[in-house]
């Protein structure tokens, strides 16, 4: 049974070695300050929204986009009502968006919907009608300064840029808070630090910008894996296209509150990471040997945590079963597992605590819930352990997440 202790120790050491640089990221904002933007000129943007049965929330999303503090006529809104069976298209049209309806029972997912929408815009509008595109989800609420801030980052020379991702239902329960705290940490201490040290950031689902010229250079939107955002980010890293980040471009999105729904979503994410790993492993590895830190960063985000968690779970389960069946010292194995979980809890708690403290004013819920959900954050992360195992054996397809939080930004930030 001492073998189990050794395996857990080795996994812990490897994990720490792989992700030590991300702990350094936490210190970066203390020592490096952001550079001022270059002189900006206004550009024409199209805001793109992919929606699947989102009649309840898409109206507020479009309203928040039209409320931007950005010159009139330079921002249009497009919606693809993707395989909808409700009034999404009707609500979007009434809100003032250009709406295209798509029905395809075979090619399902946001990647296909975006590809369809880009093609329709290209066919129906002049080639130079827009300088860039903003990508949103139907449940998003967009801060009134988003377009202004993203335009600044565009003028700084970035063809792709991502935003500060906040939550519009952080305080609903421990699940929504777990998501929310993770995305706040990702915004400030991953993308924020990457931007400060001059390496590439990562697109996280929604609220990002892509220039027309770069979209043309990569042959359009052809990212169809289960996590098309990570696939796109990986492709940018391989091509050497640095993704920017603007902390003042803020988007609020709705997080799942039901465990079944959360399990399904994160199972898709986990399966998607396996897809990205299988498709881009060789190219990312070559990028690392060419000296690309961005490729290394993406490689670390895709592979080690997933693989090590699976190895650790399998080794411990086998150790406990063998100890029970063969009459070995079962308590050594159990003690080793509990010790590893406790140490992991402390590390995740500290990460969550630092984020909660520094982002306190941006977390819109009661002080008591902010504190409580810092303690439940590691538990939320632990639920990835069985999900990662299930991803190995499950056949996963893209399924929509139900959004029901009918809120405006003023309701969220009050």
């Amino acid at each position: 049974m001492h073998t189990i202790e050794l395996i857990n120790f080795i996994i812990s050491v490897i994990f720490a070695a792989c992700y030590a640089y991300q702990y350094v990221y936490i210190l970066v904002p203390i020592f490096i300050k952001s550079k001022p933007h270059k002189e900006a000129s206004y550009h024409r943007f199209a805001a793109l929204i992919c929606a699947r049965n989102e009649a309840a929330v898409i109206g507020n999303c479009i309203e928040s986009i039209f409320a931007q503090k950005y010159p009139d006529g330079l921002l249009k809104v497009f919606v693809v009502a993707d395989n909808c069976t409700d009034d999404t298209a009707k609500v979007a049209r009434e809100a003032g968006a250009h709406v295209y309806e798509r029905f395809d029972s075979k090619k399902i997912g946001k990647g296909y919907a975006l590809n369809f929408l880009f093609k329709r815009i290209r066919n129906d509008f002049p080639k130079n009608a827009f300088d860039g595109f903003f990508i949103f989800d139907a449940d998003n609420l967009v801060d009134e300064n988003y377009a202004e801030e993203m335009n600044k980052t565009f003028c700084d020379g970035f063809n792709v840029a991502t935003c500060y991702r906040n939550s519009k239902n952080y305080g609903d329960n421990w699940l929504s808070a777990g998501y929310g705290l993770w995305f706040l940490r990702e915004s400030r201490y991953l993308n924020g630090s990457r931007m400060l040290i001059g390496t590439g950031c990562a697109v996280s689902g929604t609220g990002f910008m892509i220039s027309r010229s770069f979209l043309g250079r990569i042959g359009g939107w052809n990212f169809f894996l289960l996590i098309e955002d990570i696939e796109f980010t990986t492709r940018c890293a391989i091509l050497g296209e640095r993704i920017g980040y603007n902390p003042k471009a803020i988007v609020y999105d709705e997080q799942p509150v039901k465990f079944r729904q959360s399990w399904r979503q994160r199972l898709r994410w986990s399966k998607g990471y396996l897809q990205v790993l299988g498709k881009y492993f060789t190219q990312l590895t070559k990028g690392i040997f060419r000296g690309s830190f961005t490729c290394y960063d993406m490689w670390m985000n895709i592979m080690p945590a997933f693989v090590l968690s699976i190895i650790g779970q399998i080794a411990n389960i086998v150790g406990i079963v063998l100890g029970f069946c063969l009459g070995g010292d079962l308590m050594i194995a159990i003690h080793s597992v509990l010790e590893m979980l406790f140490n992991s809890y402390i590390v995740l708690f500290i990460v969550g605590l630092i984020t909660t403290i520094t982002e306190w004013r941006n977390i819109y819920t009661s002080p008591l819930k902010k504190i409580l959900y810092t303690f439940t954050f590691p538990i939320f992360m632990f639920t990835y352990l069985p999900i990662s195992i299930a991803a190995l054996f499950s056949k996963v397809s893209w399924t929509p997440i139900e959004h029901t939080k009918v809120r405006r930004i003023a309701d969220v930030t009050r």
Side-chain angles (χ1 to χ4, degrees), residues 15-66:
F15 197 94
C18 287
Y19 294 101
Y21 76 99
Q22 291 194 7
Y23 300 128
V24 177
Y25 276 173
I26 296 175
L27 303 176
V28 168
I30 299 175
F31 298 102
I32 303 177
K33 301 304 177 184
S34 59
K35 298 178 181 178
H37 291 287
K38 297 178 181 178
E39 184 176 351
S41 58
Y42 288 111
H43 293 83
R44 294 161 298 179
F45 291 100
L48 277 53
I49 305 170
C50 296
R52 173 82 176 268
N53 291 340
E54 301 280 14
V57 296
I58 195 168
N60 285 348
C61 176
I62 295 171
E63 178 186 61
S64 70
I65 297 172
F66 280 129

Short mmCIF file of all heavy atoms in Angstrom, two decimals, residues 15-66:
data_model
loop_
_atom_site.label_atom_id
_atom_site.label_comp_id
_atom_site.label_asym_id
_atom_site.label_seq_id
_atom_site.Cartn_x
_atom_site.Cartn_y
_atom_site.Cartn_z
N PHE A 15 2.14 17.67 -10.77
CA PHE A 15 1.10 18.69 -10.88
C PHE A 15 1.63 20.06 -10.47
O PHE A 15 1.40 21.07 -11.16
CB PHE A 15 -0.08 18.30 -9.98
CG PHE A 15 -1.35 19.04 -10.30
CD1 PHE A 15 -2.28 18.49 -11.16
CD2 PHE A 15 -1.62 20.28 -9.74
CE1 PHE A 15 -3.45 19.16 -11.46
CE2 PHE A 15 -2.78 20.96 -10.03
CZ PHE A 15 -3.70 20.40 -10.90
N ALA A 16 2.35 20.09 -9.35
CA ALA A 16 2.92 21.36 -8.89
C ALA A 16 3.92 21.92 -9.88
O ALA A 16 3.96 23.13 -10.14
CB ALA A 16 3.57 21.16 -7.52
N ALA A 17 4.74 21.03 -10.46
CA ALA A 17 5.74 21.47 -11.43
C ALA A 17 5.09 22.03 -12.69
O ALA A 17 5.53 23.04 -13.25
CB ALA A 17 6.67 20.32 -11.79
N CYS A 18 4.01 21.38 -13.13
CA CYS A 18 3.33 21.82 -14.35
C CYS A 18 2.66 23.17 -14.19
O CYS A 18 2.62 23.98 -15.12
CB CYS A 18 2.29 20.77 -14.77
SG CYS A 18 2.97 19.25 -15.46
N TYR A 19 2.11 23.42 -13.00
CA TYR A 19 1.28 24.62 -12.83
C TYR A 19 1.89 25.67 -11.91
O TYR A 19 1.21 26.63 -11.54
CB TYR A 19 -0.11 24.21 -12.33
CG TYR A 19 -0.85 23.40 -13.37
CD1 TYR A 19 -0.92 22.02 -13.27
CD2 TYR A 19 -1.41 24.01 -14.48
CE1 TYR A 19 -1.55 21.25 -14.23
CE2 TYR A 19 -2.06 23.26 -15.45
CZ TYR A 19 -2.12 21.89 -15.32
OH TYR A 19 -2.75 21.15 -16.28
N ALA A 20 3.17 25.51 -11.59
CA ALA A 20 3.84 26.51 -10.75
C ALA A 20 3.80 27.89 -11.40
O ALA A 20 3.66 28.92 -10.72
CB ALA A 20 5.27 26.08 -10.47
N TYR A 21 3.92 27.92 -12.73
CA TYR A 21 3.94 29.22 -13.41
C TYR A 21 2.62 29.97 -13.25
O TYR A 21 2.58 31.20 -13.26
CB TYR A 21 4.26 29.03 -14.89
CG TYR A 21 3.13 28.51 -15.74
CD1 TYR A 21 2.36 29.38 -16.51
CD2 TYR A 21 2.84 27.15 -15.79
CE1 TYR A 21 1.32 28.91 -17.29
CE2 TYR A 21 1.82 26.67 -16.58
CZ TYR A 21 1.05 27.56 -17.33
OH TYR A 21 0.03 27.08 -18.10
N GLN A 22 1.50 29.23 -13.06
CA GLN A 22 0.22 29.89 -12.87
C GLN A 22 0.12 30.53 -11.48
O GLN A 22 -0.63 31.48 -11.29
CB GLN A 22 -0.92 28.92 -13.10
CG GLN A 22 -1.07 28.51 -14.55
CD GLN A 22 -2.39 27.81 -14.86
OE1 GLN A 22 -3.28 27.74 -14.01
NE2 GLN A 22 -2.52 27.30 -16.07
N TYR A 23 0.88 30.00 -10.52
CA TYR A 23 0.94 30.66 -9.22
C TYR A 23 1.73 31.96 -9.34
O TYR A 23 1.44 32.95 -8.66
CB TYR A 23 1.56 29.73 -8.17
CG TYR A 23 0.79 28.44 -7.98
CD1 TYR A 23 1.42 27.21 -8.06
CD2 TYR A 23 -0.59 28.46 -7.76
CE1 TYR A 23 0.70 26.02 -7.91
CE2 TYR A 23 -1.31 27.29 -7.61
CZ TYR A 23 -0.67 26.07 -7.68
OH TYR A 23 -1.37 24.91 -7.54
N VAL A 24 2.72 31.95 -10.21
CA VAL A 24 3.47 33.18 -10.48
C VAL A 24 2.56 34.22 -11.11
O VAL A 24 2.69 35.43 -10.85
CB VAL A 24 4.68 32.89 -11.39
CG1 VAL A 24 5.42 34.18 -11.73
CG2 VAL A 24 5.64 31.90 -10.71
N TYR A 25 1.61 33.76 -11.93
CA TYR A 25 0.65 34.68 -12.55
C TYR A 25 -0.06 35.55 -11.51
O TYR A 25 -0.42 36.69 -11.79
CB TYR A 25 -0.41 33.88 -13.32
CG TYR A 25 -0.04 33.48 -14.72
CD1 TYR A 25 -0.87 32.63 -15.46
CD2 TYR A 25 1.13 33.92 -15.34
CE1 TYR A 25 -0.56 32.25 -16.76
CE2 TYR A 25 1.45 33.54 -16.64
CZ TYR A 25 0.60 32.70 -17.33
OH TYR A 25 0.92 32.33 -18.60
N ILE A 26 -0.30 34.98 -10.34
CA ILE A 26 -1.00 35.73 -9.29
C ILE A 26 -0.21 36.96 -8.87
O ILE A 26 -0.77 37.99 -8.51
CB ILE A 26 -1.27 34.81 -8.08
CG1 ILE A 26 -2.21 33.66 -8.49
CG2 ILE A 26 -1.87 35.60 -6.92
CD1 ILE A 26 -2.44 32.64 -7.40
N LEU A 27 1.12 36.87 -8.96
CA LEU A 27 1.98 37.97 -8.54
C LEU A 27 2.19 39.01 -9.64
O LEU A 27 2.58 40.15 -9.35
CB LEU A 27 3.34 37.43 -8.10
CG LEU A 27 3.33 36.39 -6.96
CD1 LEU A 27 4.74 35.88 -6.72
CD2 LEU A 27 2.75 36.99 -5.68
N VAL A 28 1.93 38.63 -10.87
CA VAL A 28 2.22 39.52 -12.01
C VAL A 28 1.55 40.88 -11.89
O VAL A 28 2.21 41.92 -12.09
CB VAL A 28 1.84 38.83 -13.34
CG1 VAL A 28 1.85 39.84 -14.49
CG2 VAL A 28 2.81 37.69 -13.63
N PRO A 29 0.22 40.96 -11.57
CA PRO A 29 -0.41 42.28 -11.50
C PRO A 29 0.18 43.20 -10.43
O PRO A 29 0.01 44.43 -10.50
CB PRO A 29 -1.87 41.95 -11.17
CG PRO A 29 -2.06 40.55 -11.65
CD PRO A 29 -0.76 39.88 -11.38
N ILE A 30 0.88 42.62 -9.46
CA ILE A 30 1.49 43.44 -8.41
C ILE A 30 2.70 44.19 -8.94
O ILE A 30 2.94 45.35 -8.59
CB ILE A 30 1.90 42.55 -7.21
CG1 ILE A 30 0.67 41.87 -6.61
CG2 ILE A 30 2.62 43.39 -6.15
CD1 ILE A 30 1.02 40.88 -5.51
N PHE A 31 3.45 43.55 -9.84
CA PHE A 31 4.72 44.10 -10.28
C PHE A 31 4.69 44.71 -11.69
O PHE A 31 5.57 45.49 -12.04
CB PHE A 31 5.80 43.00 -10.24
CG PHE A 31 6.04 42.45 -8.86
CD1 PHE A 31 5.49 41.22 -8.49
CD2 PHE A 31 6.79 43.15 -7.94
CE1 PHE A 31 5.70 40.71 -7.22
CE2 PHE A 31 7.01 42.64 -6.67
CZ PHE A 31 6.47 41.42 -6.30
N ILE A 32 3.69 44.34 -12.48
CA ILE A 32 3.61 44.87 -13.84
C ILE A 32 2.27 45.57 -14.04
O ILE A 32 1.22 44.99 -13.73
CB ILE A 32 3.76 43.75 -14.89
CG1 ILE A 32 5.08 42.99 -14.68
CG2 ILE A 32 3.70 44.32 -16.31
CD1 ILE A 32 5.26 41.81 -15.62
N LYS A 33 2.31 46.76 -14.53
CA LYS A 33 1.09 47.53 -14.77
C LYS A 33 0.79 47.58 -16.27
O LYS A 33 1.69 47.51 -17.11
CB LYS A 33 1.23 48.95 -14.21
CG LYS A 33 1.51 48.99 -12.71
CD LYS A 33 0.45 48.23 -11.92
CE LYS A 33 0.78 48.21 -10.43
NZ LYS A 33 -0.19 47.38 -9.66
N SER A 34 -0.47 47.69 -16.59
CA SER A 34 -0.88 47.68 -17.99
C SER A 34 -0.42 48.95 -18.70
O SER A 34 -0.32 50.02 -18.10
CB SER A 34 -2.40 47.57 -18.09
OG SER A 34 -3.03 48.65 -17.42
N LYS A 35 -0.14 48.81 -19.99
CA LYS A 35 0.30 49.94 -20.80
C LYS A 35 -0.92 50.73 -21.29
O LYS A 35 -1.99 50.15 -21.49
CB LYS A 35 1.11 49.43 -22.00
CG LYS A 35 2.38 48.68 -21.62
CD LYS A 35 3.08 48.17 -22.87
CE LYS A 35 4.34 47.39 -22.50
NZ LYS A 35 5.03 46.84 -23.71
N PRO A 36 -0.76 52.02 -21.50
CA PRO A 36 -1.88 52.80 -22.03
C PRO A 36 -2.20 52.38 -23.46
O PRO A 36 -1.33 51.91 -24.20
CB PRO A 36 -1.37 54.24 -21.98
CG PRO A 36 0.13 54.12 -21.98
CD PRO A 36 0.44 52.86 -21.25
N HIS A 37 -3.47 52.55 -23.83
CA HIS A 37 -3.87 52.21 -25.19
C HIS A 37 -3.29 53.21 -26.18
O HIS A 37 -2.99 54.36 -25.86
CB HIS A 37 -5.39 52.23 -25.31
CG HIS A 37 -6.07 51.13 -24.56
ND1 HIS A 37 -6.05 49.82 -24.98
CD2 HIS A 37 -6.80 51.15 -23.41
CE1 HIS A 37 -6.73 49.07 -24.13
NE2 HIS A 37 -7.20 49.86 -23.17
N LYS A 38 -3.14 52.76 -27.42
CA LYS A 38 -2.74 53.66 -28.49
C LYS A 38 -3.92 54.57 -28.85
O LYS A 38 -5.05 54.34 -28.42
CB LYS A 38 -2.31 52.84 -29.72
CG LYS A 38 -1.10 51.96 -29.48
CD LYS A 38 -0.77 51.14 -30.72
CE LYS A 38 0.43 50.23 -30.47
NZ LYS A 38 0.74 49.38 -31.67
N GLU A 39 -3.63 55.56 -29.65
CA GLU A 39 -4.71 56.44 -30.10
C GLU A 39 -5.72 55.61 -30.90
O GLU A 39 -5.35 54.87 -31.80
CB GLU A 39 -4.16 57.58 -30.96
CG GLU A 39 -5.20 58.58 -31.38
CD GLU A 39 -4.62 59.76 -32.15
OE1 GLU A 39 -3.37 59.87 -32.20
OE2 GLU A 39 -5.40 60.55 -32.69
N ALA A 40 -7.00 55.75 -30.55
CA ALA A 40 -8.02 54.91 -31.14
C ALA A 40 -8.87 55.66 -32.16
O ALA A 40 -9.11 56.86 -32.02
CB ALA A 40 -8.93 54.32 -30.06
N SER A 41 -9.28 54.95 -33.18
CA SER A 41 -10.28 55.44 -34.14
C SER A 41 -11.41 54.43 -34.15
O SER A 41 -11.21 53.24 -33.88
CB SER A 41 -9.67 55.59 -35.53
OG SER A 41 -9.13 54.34 -35.98
N TYR A 42 -12.60 54.87 -34.45
CA TYR A 42 -13.75 53.99 -34.37
C TYR A 42 -13.84 53.05 -35.58
O TYR A 42 -13.59 53.45 -36.71
CB TYR A 42 -15.04 54.80 -34.26
CG TYR A 42 -15.19 55.47 -32.91
CD1 TYR A 42 -15.11 56.86 -32.78
CD2 TYR A 42 -15.41 54.71 -31.77
CE1 TYR A 42 -15.24 57.47 -31.54
CE2 TYR A 42 -15.55 55.31 -30.53
CZ TYR A 42 -15.46 56.69 -30.42
OH TYR A 42 -15.59 57.28 -29.19
N HIS A 43 -14.22 51.82 -35.30
CA HIS A 43 -14.38 50.80 -36.33
C HIS A 43 -15.81 50.26 -36.32
O HIS A 43 -16.55 50.44 -35.35
CB HIS A 43 -13.39 49.66 -36.11
CG HIS A 43 -11.96 50.06 -36.31
ND1 HIS A 43 -11.21 50.66 -35.33
CD2 HIS A 43 -11.14 49.96 -37.39
CE1 HIS A 43 -9.99 50.91 -35.79
NE2 HIS A 43 -9.93 50.49 -37.03
N ARG A 44 -16.14 49.58 -37.39
CA ARG A 44 -17.48 49.02 -37.53
C ARG A 44 -17.47 47.56 -37.07
O ARG A 44 -16.66 46.76 -37.54
CB ARG A 44 -17.92 49.11 -39.00
CG ARG A 44 -18.10 50.54 -39.51
CD ARG A 44 -18.07 50.58 -41.02
NE ARG A 44 -16.77 50.10 -41.53
CZ ARG A 44 -16.49 50.00 -42.82
NH1 ARG A 44 -17.39 50.32 -43.73
NH2 ARG A 44 -15.30 49.56 -43.21
N PHE A 45 -18.40 47.24 -36.19
CA PHE A 45 -18.46 45.90 -35.63
C PHE A 45 -19.85 45.30 -35.81
O PHE A 45 -20.86 46.00 -35.84
CB PHE A 45 -18.13 45.92 -34.14
CG PHE A 45 -16.69 46.24 -33.84
CD1 PHE A 45 -16.32 47.52 -33.44
CD2 PHE A 45 -15.71 45.27 -33.96
CE1 PHE A 45 -15.00 47.83 -33.16
CE2 PHE A 45 -14.38 45.57 -33.68
CZ PHE A 45 -14.03 46.85 -33.28
N ALA A 46 -19.87 43.99 -35.90
CA ALA A 46 -21.11 43.22 -35.88
C ALA A 46 -21.10 42.33 -34.64
O ALA A 46 -20.12 41.62 -34.40
CB ALA A 46 -21.24 42.37 -37.14
N ALA A 47 -22.17 42.41 -33.87
CA ALA A 47 -22.31 41.55 -32.70
C ALA A 47 -23.09 40.31 -33.10
O ALA A 47 -24.22 40.41 -33.59
CB ALA A 47 -23.02 42.29 -31.58
N LEU A 48 -22.49 39.14 -32.92
CA LEU A 48 -23.09 37.87 -33.35
C LEU A 48 -23.54 37.07 -32.14
O LEU A 48 -22.79 36.90 -31.17
CB LEU A 48 -22.08 37.05 -34.15
CG LEU A 48 -21.92 37.36 -35.64
CD1 LEU A 48 -21.65 38.83 -35.90
CD2 LEU A 48 -20.82 36.49 -36.24
N ILE A 49 -24.77 36.58 -32.20
CA ILE A 49 -25.34 35.80 -31.10
C ILE A 49 -25.87 34.49 -31.63
O ILE A 49 -26.69 34.47 -32.55
CB ILE A 49 -26.50 36.56 -30.40
CG1 ILE A 49 -26.05 37.94 -29.94
CG2 ILE A 49 -27.05 35.74 -29.23
CD1 ILE A 49 -27.19 38.83 -29.46
N CYS A 50 -25.41 33.39 -31.06
CA CYS A 50 -25.95 32.07 -31.38
C CYS A 50 -26.99 31.71 -30.32
O CYS A 50 -26.69 31.75 -29.12
CB CYS A 50 -24.85 31.02 -31.41
SG CYS A 50 -23.62 31.30 -32.70
N ALA A 51 -28.19 31.36 -30.75
CA ALA A 51 -29.27 31.13 -29.79
C ALA A 51 -30.03 29.85 -30.11
O ALA A 51 -30.40 29.61 -31.26
CB ALA A 51 -30.23 32.31 -29.80
N ARG A 52 -30.25 29.04 -29.09
CA ARG A 52 -31.05 27.81 -29.23
C ARG A 52 -32.14 27.84 -28.16
O ARG A 52 -31.87 27.64 -26.98
CB ARG A 52 -30.14 26.59 -29.06
CG ARG A 52 -30.87 25.24 -29.02
CD ARG A 52 -31.19 24.75 -30.42
NE ARG A 52 -31.80 23.42 -30.39
CZ ARG A 52 -31.11 22.28 -30.48
NH1 ARG A 52 -29.80 22.30 -30.59
NH2 ARG A 52 -31.74 21.13 -30.46
N ASN A 53 -33.35 28.17 -28.56
CA ASN A 53 -34.48 28.27 -27.62
C ASN A 53 -34.17 29.20 -26.45
O ASN A 53 -34.21 28.82 -25.29
CB ASN A 53 -34.87 26.88 -27.10
CG ASN A 53 -35.49 26.02 -28.18
OD1 ASN A 53 -35.97 26.53 -29.20
ND2 ASN A 53 -35.49 24.71 -27.99
N GLU A 54 -33.85 30.44 -26.79
CA GLU A 54 -33.44 31.44 -25.79
C GLU A 54 -34.41 32.62 -25.75
O GLU A 54 -34.01 33.74 -25.45
CB GLU A 54 -32.03 31.95 -26.13
CG GLU A 54 -30.95 30.89 -26.18
CD GLU A 54 -30.44 30.50 -24.80
OE1 GLU A 54 -31.10 30.85 -23.81
OE2 GLU A 54 -29.38 29.87 -24.74
N ALA A 55 -35.68 32.38 -26.02
CA ALA A 55 -36.65 33.46 -26.06
C ALA A 55 -36.74 34.22 -24.74
O ALA A 55 -37.02 35.42 -24.72
CB ALA A 55 -38.03 32.91 -26.45
N ALA A 56 -36.47 33.54 -23.64
CA ALA A 56 -36.61 34.17 -22.32
C ALA A 56 -35.55 35.23 -22.06
O ALA A 56 -35.81 36.21 -21.35
CB ALA A 56 -36.57 33.11 -21.23
N VAL A 57 -34.35 35.07 -22.64
CA VAL A 57 -33.24 35.95 -22.25
C VAL A 57 -32.65 36.77 -23.39
O VAL A 57 -31.95 37.75 -23.14
CB VAL A 57 -32.10 35.11 -21.60
CG1 VAL A 57 -32.58 34.47 -20.30
CG2 VAL A 57 -31.59 34.04 -22.56
N ILE A 58 -32.91 36.39 -24.63
CA ILE A 58 -32.19 37.04 -25.73
C ILE A 58 -32.58 38.51 -25.89
O ILE A 58 -31.77 39.33 -26.32
CB ILE A 58 -32.41 36.28 -27.05
CG1 ILE A 58 -31.38 36.74 -28.08
CG2 ILE A 58 -33.84 36.44 -27.57
CD1 ILE A 58 -31.29 35.88 -29.33
N GLY A 59 -33.79 38.87 -25.51
CA GLY A 59 -34.20 40.26 -25.62
C GLY A 59 -33.34 41.18 -24.78
O GLY A 59 -32.92 42.26 -25.23
N ASN A 60 -33.05 40.77 -23.55
CA ASN A 60 -32.21 41.59 -22.67
C ASN A 60 -30.78 41.66 -23.17
O ASN A 60 -30.10 42.67 -23.01
CB ASN A 60 -32.24 41.03 -21.25
CG ASN A 60 -33.54 41.34 -20.52
OD1 ASN A 60 -34.33 42.16 -20.99
ND2 ASN A 60 -33.78 40.67 -19.41
N CYS A 61 -30.31 40.57 -23.77
CA CYS A 61 -28.96 40.57 -24.33
C CYS A 61 -28.86 41.61 -25.44
O CYS A 61 -27.94 42.44 -25.46
CB CYS A 61 -28.62 39.18 -24.87
SG CYS A 61 -27.01 39.07 -25.70
N ILE A 62 -29.79 41.57 -26.37
CA ILE A 62 -29.77 42.52 -27.49
C ILE A 62 -29.94 43.95 -26.99
O ILE A 62 -29.26 44.87 -27.47
CB ILE A 62 -30.88 42.16 -28.50
CG1 ILE A 62 -30.59 40.79 -29.12
CG2 ILE A 62 -31.00 43.23 -29.58
CD1 ILE A 62 -31.72 40.25 -29.96
N GLU A 63 -30.80 44.13 -26.01
CA GLU A 63 -31.00 45.47 -25.44
C GLU A 63 -29.69 46.02 -24.88
O GLU A 63 -29.36 47.21 -25.06
CB GLU A 63 -32.05 45.40 -24.33
CG GLU A 63 -32.32 46.71 -23.62
CD GLU A 63 -33.25 46.55 -22.44
OE1 GLU A 63 -32.90 45.80 -21.50
OE2 GLU A 63 -34.32 47.17 -22.45
N SER A 64 -28.91 45.17 -24.20
CA SER A 64 -27.65 45.63 -23.61
C SER A 64 -26.62 45.98 -24.68
O SER A 64 -25.78 46.86 -24.48
CB SER A 64 -27.09 44.57 -22.65
OG SER A 64 -26.63 43.42 -23.35
N ILE A 65 -26.69 45.31 -25.83
CA ILE A 65 -25.77 45.63 -26.93
C ILE A 65 -26.13 46.97 -27.55
O ILE A 65 -25.27 47.81 -27.84
CB ILE A 65 -25.77 44.50 -27.97
CG1 ILE A 65 -25.25 43.20 -27.35
CG2 ILE A 65 -24.90 44.89 -29.17
CD1 ILE A 65 -25.39 41.98 -28.25
N PHE A 66 -27.42 47.19 -27.76
CA PHE A 66 -27.85 48.46 -28.35
C PHE A 66 -27.65 49.64 -27.39
O PHE A 66 -27.67 50.79 -27.82
CB PHE A 66 -29.31 48.38 -28.77
CG PHE A 66 -29.52 47.68 -30.09
CD1 PHE A 66 -30.45 46.65 -30.20
CD2 PHE A 66 -28.78 48.02 -31.21
CE1 PHE A 66 -30.64 45.99 -31.41
CE2 PHE A 66 -28.96 47.36 -32.42
CZ PHE A 66 -29.89 46.35 -32.52
#
